[in-house]
């Protein structure tokens, strides 16, 4: 199978790339390297192109044929999206429209799209399933929900088959430590906690300790990047037999507070995570935990990393000696 992997130089995309190539897929990576790393593209073919530049986008399709596109490209920081909404709608919505038009021109009719738990906003039930109301509370989540709606329209108008996979919090790294999470600046909790413990980053700031949660800090559902990669491969197969636009929530179904993540990172690193309490970060909902029953039942998805310590252990191995 030939796949165009947009955003394959990024954190989740590079794990997807490795996963697919190891399973015999032929992969072309498209990335503008805005937040990704050329060093992360260690397999397949690389084309430097920007979804916001239709001419460069065209160069990735020209002379190649693809069975499907997997689309990871996005601006994806909740707090930044509150401060810079235009950039988020341009990159995440207009950029995706350019990609969809290029796919239509080149006869590619299957897409896996990176959506997010941020499409739901404040949860109204403990475990968020696909039917949960979609009411994003930040421009990032709103931009992803707009794309989901475009995909439903594209199915009806153009017969596009699509899978919106709504990840909860992606975490961990390849067990071989050849690729891992490296954002500049790093804003995610687990890398920041590990870098604080290792002394390779500043002390951790805990954003908010007065949330309506058992210990006052935000609760999230952490899912390993390789488990996400497995779901994408299953999503590609699902589209062989299912028309239309589909959405699946991907998480482990267990929530951990920021304090619990700090404790787990300390256990894994064998030393304390230095931290201080800080004000809330704009746009953060208190609790986000997935119900992934649909993915389990319909895709046959079964995450292999179910322990937070095991997930953090793979991240720790990467952060001890990051290659980029
Ligand atoms: N990390 C998470 O916990 C998480 C959770 C839910 C959803 N997501 C979604 O998953 C996807 C990947 O997230 P990530 O953490 O790997 O992010 P990332 O920033 O590491 O990867 C995104 C990649 O897309 C590229 N890119 C961005 N805009 C582009 C454009 N206009 N043209 C070409 N390339 C472009 C970047 O250079 C980067 O390599 C994103 O769509 C994000 O919204 C991530
Ligand atoms: O230095 C830090 C970093 C984070 N946090 C908190 O830790 C939690 C997790 O934050 P982070 O790791 O930044 O992830 P999220 O903001 O939950 O966002 C991730 O998870 C979302 C889905 O849940 C995705 O949509 C986003 O793309 C992805 O970045 C939040 O409560 C943050 O306020 C801190 O207290 N200190």
């Amino acid at each position: 199978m030939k796949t165009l992997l947009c955003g394959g130089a990024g954190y989740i995309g590079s794990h997807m790339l490795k996963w697919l190539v190891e399973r015999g897929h032929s992969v072309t990576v498209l990335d503008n390297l805005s937040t990704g790393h050329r060093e992360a593209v260690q397999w397949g073919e690389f084309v430097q192109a920007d979804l916001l530049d239709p001419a460069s986008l065209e160069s990735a399709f020209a002379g190649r044929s693809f069975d499907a596109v997997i689309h990871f490209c996005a601006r994806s920081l909740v707090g930044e999206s509150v401060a810079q909404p235009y950039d988020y709608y341009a990159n995440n919505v207009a950029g995706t429209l350019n990609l969809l038009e290029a796919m239509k021109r080149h006869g590619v009719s299957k897409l896996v799209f990176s959506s997010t738990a941020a499409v739901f906003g404040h949860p109204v039930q403990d475990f968020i399933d696909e039917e949960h109301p979609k009411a994003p509370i930040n421009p990032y989540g709103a931009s992803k929900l707009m794309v989901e709606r475009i995909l439903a329209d594209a199915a009806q108008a153009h017969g596009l088959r699509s899978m919106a996979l709504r990840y909860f919090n992606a975490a961990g790294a390849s067990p071989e430590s050849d690729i891992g999470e490296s954002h500049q600046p790093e804003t995610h909790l687990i890398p920041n906690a590990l870098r604080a413990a290792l002394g390779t980053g500043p002390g951790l700031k805990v954003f908010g300790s007065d949330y309506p949660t058992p210990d006052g800090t935000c609760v999230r559902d952490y899912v390993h990047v390789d488990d996400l990669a497995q779901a994408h491969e299953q999503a590609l197969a699902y589209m062989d037999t299912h028309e239309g636009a589909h959405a699946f929530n991907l998480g482990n179904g267990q929530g951990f507070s920021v304090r619990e993540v700090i404790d787990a990172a300390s256990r894994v690193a064998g030393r304390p995570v230095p931290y201080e309490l800080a004000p809330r970060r704009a746009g953060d909902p208190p609790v986000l935990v997935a119900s992934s029953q649909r993915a389990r039942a319909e895709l046959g998805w079964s995450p292999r990393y179910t322990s937070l310590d095991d997930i953090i252990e793979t991240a720790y191995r990467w952060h001890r000696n990051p290659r980029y």
Side-chain angles (χ1 to χ4, degrees), residues 90-163:
N91 202 53
N92 298 358
V93 182
T96 300
L97 276 173
N98 287 342
L99 175 62
L100 292 174
E101 281 175 3
M103 288 174 64
K104 184 161 159 280
R105 273 197 306 278
H106 292 274
V108 186
S109 58
K110 291 180 196 154
L111 175 76
V112 185
F113 169 64
S114 299
S115 190
T116 169
V119 299
F120 296 109
H122 287 294
V124 297
Q125 62 206 49
D126 289 345
F127 296 96
I128 300 176
D129 62 16
E130 288 76 6
E131 309 314 323
H132 186 285
K134 282 97 197 155
I137 59 167
N138 50 62
Y140 166 62
S143 73
K144 293 285 185 172
L145 186 58
M146 284 178 191
V147 172
E148 288 197 16
R149 291 190 175 145
I150 292 169
L151 295 180
D153 294 341
Q156 185 270 324
H158 305 302
L160 182 76
R161 296 183 180 205
S162 67
M163 301 284 280

